[in-house]
Amino acid sequence: MNLKLSRLLRLQNVLFYILFITIIGLLAYLSQQTKFTLDWTYNNRNSLSKPTQTLLKNVKTPIKFSFYLPDRADLKQDLTKLVAKYQRVNPAIQLEFINPDLNPERAKQDGVQQTGQLALHVGDRLELLDSVIDEQVLVNAIQRMSRGHERLVVFLEGHAERDPLSDTADGMSKLLTSLETKGFKIQPHNMLRTGSIPENASFVVLAAPKQDFMPAEVDILKNYVSKGGNLLWLPEPGGLHGLQPLADMLGVSIADGTLLDADLQLQASFNIGHPAGVPVLDYGQTPVTRNLVGQKTLFPFATSVNENEAVTATTQTDGKQWQTQALLITLPSSWLEMSGVLTGSVKYDEGSGDQAGPLNVGMSLTRNLENKANQPAQEQRVVVIGDSDFITNNYIGYGANLTLATNLFNWLGRDDNLVEIPLNRAPDTEVDLSQTALVTMTLLFLLVIPLGLAVTGLAIWWIRKRR
């Protein structure tokens, strides 16, 4: 070791530390300029669901979160972290915090009634929210406002149809509650009283009528369809009740029988207790069923719907031909029972006119009609499903029935980019116990463990006393 070598080693050390500090500084700078997040939680519970991300990407109008809060750093930090999930998907989303005590004019402008509310702005529309932690609450609000205006859905009444407002088992109040949060307005309507269908209706629903329509009512319906109105028709076994002319106009054939599937193993796997509860796992390649792949839907006491080739010529209305697609297809083990006997040991009998599955439960019909004002052609949409039970309170919670119903309403309302938002719920945040396990745990923690501790304490006391 000499003096020259010693100086070279010192210079080398100095250069090493300079380079080391420079690299650390560059890494720190890059960490501020580049953001990368990775969600390792079960089922990505700290990230937005894929449908929510699709919705945020499709919303073209500006979105702004305006929180009315006191000046508290902890609240702002938590809410900033919450909104950051949405900003990662749509960086244009704005966030602001406003103290209503210091800026009462702004609070009055947004209609804020109390501290802690969120003023959610989507374009020029505004909605106040009290709960902002739930992804479903926020997304439903964004859906409502992104529609531009409420979608009026007319449910025809006067023929013993399903009551959309009823909260009984065969009513539809659960579906309506879900739809109203997404911007739909439901209105029962009697054609005999008004002699027409509201012109501002997004579409009309025929929910399993059980009484005959008068010829004048059928003419109103046919006129509505011929002018380009959208329709959701839910016939059931038992006849069309005077609506055969409407079926001929649409070019569809609705069977009189009932769909059955007597596979006991299938019934057990789907928790179905009747052969008339027909599950569907096969869906057509349509926008309505695009997110149902791998999910099951249930159609109790349904009938089949098919294209009626015998009246193809009558499907020509205003020179425009309907394009039909199968929506819902039963399993090969199903069949259409024509005898009407649904009790006891039922089985397929070709001799009695039964039709073997798979069969169509529903179909979609579309056609392009030119606008009278020489505007671009608009697609007219009709859906015919041989069942209405699947959207009643008794069955709307089964499988993907609610998702299917919401898809139908969005599609018929021409909101193709708005889909049902399923939340990612992690199984490890919920406790699902059987009745046996619940009783066992109750006895263990309320009886066995306390009694064991008491006996142990008494035993220790007795032993020490005898010493």
Side-chain angles (χ1 to χ4, degrees), residues 106-415:
R106 176 66 186 279
K108 183 178 180 181
Q109 177 183 341
D110 285 347
V112 174
Q113 301 294 327
Q114 59 188 16
T115 300
Q117 286 186 305
L118 163 65
L120 181 62
H121 301 264
V122 179
D124 297 330
R125 304 193 68 186
L126 165 68
E127 185 168 331
L128 292 176
L129 300 176
D130 295 323
S131 175
V132 298
I133 303 303
D134 193 347
E135 177 184 335
Q136 189 76 62
V137 173
L138 285 170
V139 171
N140 283 340
I142 294 174
Q143 280 188 330
R144 286 192 295 270
M145 291 186 284
S146 63
R147 293 184 192 274
H149 59 85
E150 283 187 327
R151 299 291 188 262
L152 176 63
V153 180
V154 172
F155 277 74
L156 296 184
E157 62 178 7
H159 314 89
E161 293 94 342
R162 300 281 188 184
D163 185 358
L165 306 179
S166 174
D167 57 1
T168 60
D170 60 352
M172 301 180 182
S173 59
K174 291 182 180 179
L175 172 63
L176 264 59
T177 299
S178 174
L179 292 174
E180 287 173 350
T181 64
K182 295 173 174 59
F184 289 98
K185 181 180 179 182
I186 309 303
Q187 175 181 308
H189 182 76
N190 192 313
M191 289 189 296
L192 277 181
R193 296 178 181 176
T194 61
S196 63
I197 293 175
E199 294 183 359
N200 61 335
S202 292
F203 61 94
V204 169
V205 180
L206 272 168
K210 295 179 178 59
Q211 297 176 2
D212 291 347
F213 281 74
M214 297 183 65
E217 295 177 294
V218 178
D219 290 339
I220 294 173
L221 272 172
K222 291 176 63 178
N223 183 58
Y224 167 78
V225 173
S226 67
K227 291 184 177 180
N230 292 352
L231 175 67
L232 174 60
W233 187 8
L234 306 174
E236 292 188 336
L240 298 184
H241 303 287
L243 292 177
Q244 185 62 50
L246 178 61
D248 292 341
M249 181 181 184
L250 298 173
V252 297
S253 174
I254 301 169
D256 291 331
T258 304
L259 289 170
L260 299 180
D261 196 321
D263 188 331
L264 297 179
Q265 292 183 348
L266 180 69
Q267 293 180 26
S269 63
F270 287 105
N271 195 25
I272 302 171
H274 196 283
V278 177
V280 168
L281 294 171
D282 189 9
Y283 306 96
Q285 299 298 318
T286 69
V288 176
T289 55
R290 62 192 169 194
N291 61 344
L292 295 178
V293 177
Q295 303 185 61
K296 61 179 180 289
T297 48
L298 178 67
F299 298 88
F301 299 95
T303 189
S304 66
V305 179
N306 295 283
E307 184 177 0
N308 192 342
E309 298 178 358
V311 293
T312 301
T314 64
T315 64
Q316 298 266 1
T317 306
D318 298 333
K320 298 295 182 180
Q321 178 72 35
W322 292 105
Q323 302 295 321
T324 62
Q325 277 188 296
L327 282 179
L328 310 157
I329 306 167
T330 64
L331 297 172
S333 57
S334 65
W335 76 92
L336 184 67
E337 177 65 40
M338 301 300 295
S339 67
V341 179
L342 306 179
T343 58
S345 179
V346 293
K347 61 181 180 179
Y348 171 71
D349 183 6
E350 185 178 0
S352 63
D354 294 350
Q355 300 178 26
L359 297 165
N360 294 333
V361 183
M363 297 186 67
S364 67
L365 299 88
T366 59
R367 63 176 182 172
N368 290 327
L369 294 178
E370 294 181 1
N371 194 296
K372 294 181 179 180
N374 296 323
Q375 298 293 327
Q378 189 176 48
E379 186 179 66
Q380 182 182 9
R381 300 172 175 181
V382 175
V383 173
V384 184
I385 297 178
D387 179 50
S388 68
D389 292 279
F390 78 100
I391 58 173
T392 60
N393 295 334
N394 201 29
Y395 295 102
I396 192 63
Y398 183 94
N401 280 15
L402 179 59
T403 301
L404 171 62
T406 306
N407 289 350
L408 285 169
F409 277 68
N410 281 331
W411 187 70
L412 290 169
R414 296 193 175 91
D415 291 314

